Amino acid sequence: MSAGKYRKEHNCLNCGAHVEKHYCSDCGQPNLELKESFWAFISHSIAHYFHFDNKFFQTLSPLLTKPGQVTLDYLAGKRARYINPVSMYIFVSIVYFLVVYSPKHVEKNAHESIKVEREKDENVTDSVNKALMLPGVPKAIANRTAKSLNKVIKTKDFKRLGFADQEAELKRLEVENTSLKSDSINDLIEDFNDIHIERNDSTYAAYLVRQKKLPLIEQDNWYERMIKKRAINIGEKSEVIQETLEHNRPKQYFLLMPLLALFIMWNFRKNHIYYLNHLIFAIHGMTAYFIVQIFTDPLIKHVFGKGTIVTNIIELGVVVWICWYMYNALKVFYQRKRWSIIFKMFWIIVMYWIAFNVSEVIMVNLIYYVAT
């Protein structure tokens, strides 16, 4: 890998030890001349890069296609062909962060989005009404479907209204219901009231004003007010909290790695393997997951978009791949029977899911207190 002219002297410039040939037997530094040409410097750098590049791809292929095998080889001493697990994890996680994480600072045109949504609703309504008018559709089913669809559309329209407009619409419906005495209008008023209260409580000050208007027996106690205040404040800062949370996601995965290794060790304690070996296994598995996400996440975000059929297929494919990879990795590395692996795999997933959600709650609270 070294490129340059070797020195005639036999003293190591790094540690001072005696050098027999081209490399120091104590520290491993090549015994090269200090002065080198520009092209020698470039060729040396390229040699180092392609040495890393070569080892990276030698590790990447079996890591993705032969679950558990890289860990077995590494622990068996076959390490020359592979990158150090931690080095590869750090490199891949940096790429993952750069590719997957993209801050969202896009200003939305509210009026344009409302217009588009209304056009979509009208198109859906027209399509359903035409289908219900076809011969053979029972009248009772057609009427119930039309009423349900009409209620959904009205609810969506009501949510788009401002606070004052919502209040005016509620008063209009109450007046209309006074004369008609309709159960459907009464149900609609109840639903709209819940939405209106939620909009009313969009700030803590508005929540307190509404509380003062209620009878004393219906007012929230001090604990309920404290919880409500925190929920409203988190809601107000939800965009900042979510962005900061995504920004710190790689750190979250990294900090959960030792816990994942611990969960694996608990489930396979009869194998009598050192904790460090479980940790290396977990690092290789998480690295493989990051690599898959690096390729699939940009496709979902920038090519197909969320909620499309292709996106759903990709997401399902990732879940299937995770199950396949985890099952085969556990089977190869721990040498257990099929149902034993499936049972232990289930409990590892459950424990990691609980740990992930607990850490999520802790992170949200920390971000909230820092932000406020």
Side-chain angles (χ1 to χ4, degrees):
M1 188 176 69
S2 297
K5 187 178 179 181
Y6 288 102
R7 296 169 65 240
K8 293 179 181 179
E9 293 81 6
H10 294 282
N11 64 308
C12 177
L13 295 173
N14 183 54
C15 67
H18 181 74
V19 181
E20 289 292 339
K21 292 185 179 180
H22 298 317
Y23 293 89
C24 176
S25 58
D26 284 3
C27 67
Q29 177 170 290
N31 192 27
L32 297 170
E33 291 283 357
L34 290 177
K35 293 180 181 179
E36 58 182 346
S37 66
F38 173 76
W39 292 112
F41 171 75
I42 294 296
S43 62
H44 196 193
S45 302
I46 290 172
H48 271 284
Y49 170 77
F50 280 107
H51 177 72
F52 171 81
D53 185 67
N54 185 44
K55 290 187 75 173
F56 177 79
F57 285 105
Q58 281 183 346
T59 308
L60 180 64
S61 179
L63 184 67
L64 294 177
T65 59
K66 298 177 181 177
Q69 191 59 49
V70 174
T71 311
L72 278 178
D73 288 348
Y74 186 84
L75 295 176
K78 300 174 184 177
R79 302 180 181 185
R81 75 187 78 166
Y82 300 128
I83 296 178
N84 179 277
V86 176
S87 299
M88 186 167 187
Y89 174 83
I90 292 171
F91 173 74
V92 171
S93 64
I94 290 170
V95 176
Y96 169 82
F97 173 77
L98 293 173
V99 172
V100 174
Y101 170 71
S102 54
K104 297 176 183 177
H105 293 296
V106 181
E107 292 184 5
K108 296 181 180 178
N109 189 327
H111 295 292
E112 189 64 30
S113 61
I114 289 172
K115 185 180 177 183
V116 170
E117 286 294 321
R118 280 179 177 165
E119 286 177 358
K120 285 182 181 178
D121 292 341
E122 287 173 4
N123 291 335
V124 170
T125 306
D126 291 341
S127 299
V128 172
N129 286 335
K130 286 177 182 177
L132 293 174
M133 291 172 66
L134 292 172
V137 178
K139 192 174 181 181
I141 294 175
N143 289 336
R144 280 201 301 269
T145 305
K147 284 181 181 178
S148 298
L149 181 62
N150 189 39
K151 185 179 178 181
V152 170
I153 300 296
K154 284 183 177 179
T155 303
K156 285 181 72 176
D157 287 339
F158 186 78
K159 285 180 179 179
R160 295 187 190 116
L161 297 174
F163 182 77
D165 292 332
Q166 284 186 354
E167 198 163 0
E169 178 64 14
L170 276 169
K171 286 179 180 177
R172 188 191 68 78
L173 286 172
E174 285 169 0
V175 170
E176 186 179 341
N177 193 41
T178 303
S179 58
L180 296 176
K181 302 290 182 182
S182 169
D183 290 338
S184 60
I185 295 176
N186 195 50
D187 291 340
L188 202 61
I189 289 171
E190 287 181 5
D191 292 342
F192 283 6
N193 263 321
D194 292 337
I195 296 167
H196 187 58
I197 289 171
E198 188 177 338
R199 172 66 66 85
N200 190 15
D201 292 345
S202 58
T203 64
Y204 186 62
Y207 164 74
L208 290 177
V209 170
R210 187 179 66 82
Q211 283 290 304
K212 287 178 181 178
K213 293 178 181 179
L214 295 173
L216 189 62
I217 195 169
E218 293 181 18
Q219 291 180 12
D220 294 341
N221 57 41
W222 67 270
Y223 179 75
E224 290 170 330
R225 290 190 180 196
M226 183 183 72
I227 296 297
K228 188 70 174 178
K229 181 180 180 181
R230 187 172 168 281
I232 290 170
N233 287 338
I234 287 177
E236 288 174 346
K237 294 178 171 55
S238 60
E239 189 175 340
V240 175
I241 290 171
Q242 186 61 34
E243 187 175 323
T244 310
L245 191 65
E246 291 301 320
H247 181 81
N248 289 284
R249 190 73 72 190
K251 297 174 186 175
Q252 182 187 14
Y253 286 134
F254 184 77
L255 293 173
L256 285 173
M257 194 88 67
L259 268 181
L260 177 60
L262 185 64
F263 298 152
I264 295 171
M265 188 179 75
W266 283 345
N267 280 276
F268 292 95
R269 56 189 176 276
K270 290 183 180 179
N271 283 61
H272 303 293
I273 297 174
Y274 289 116
Y275 172 76
L276 181 60
N277 296 353
H278 296 290
L279 183 59
I280 293 170
F281 175 82
I283 290 171
H284 278 143
M286 191 59 73
T287 303
Y289 169 73
F290 279 169
I291 292 167
V292 170
Q293 286 293 98
I294 286 168
F295 288 102
T296 57
D297 202 88
L299 287 174
I300 292 171
K301 279 186 177 179
H302 307 299
V303 179
F304 301 110
K306 291 185 177 180
T308 63
I309 295 173
V310 178
T311 294
N312 292 335
I313 292 170
I314 292 172
E315 289 175 344
L316 178 62
V318 171
V319 172
V320 171
W321 178 86
I322 289 171
C323 294
W324 170 83
Y325 188 93
M326 190 173 179
Y327 171 79
N328 284 283
L330 292 171
K331 189 176 181 181
V332 168
F333 189 73
Y334 293 101
Q335 298 293 312
R336 295 292 191 90
K337 293 180 180 179
R338 178 186 297 177
W339 290 108
S340 175
I341 291 291
I342 292 172
F343 177 76
K344 293 177 187 301
M345 180 174 138
F346 170 78
W347 282 111
I348 291 167
I349 291 171
V350 169
M351 287 189 284
Y352 187 79
W353 179 81
I354 293 169
F356 184 87
N357 282 278
V358 170
S359 67
E360 192 100 333
V361 171
I362 293 169
M363 286 175 69
V364 167
N365 280 278
L366 286 173
I367 294 165
Y368 165 72
Y369 286 118
V370 169
T372 54

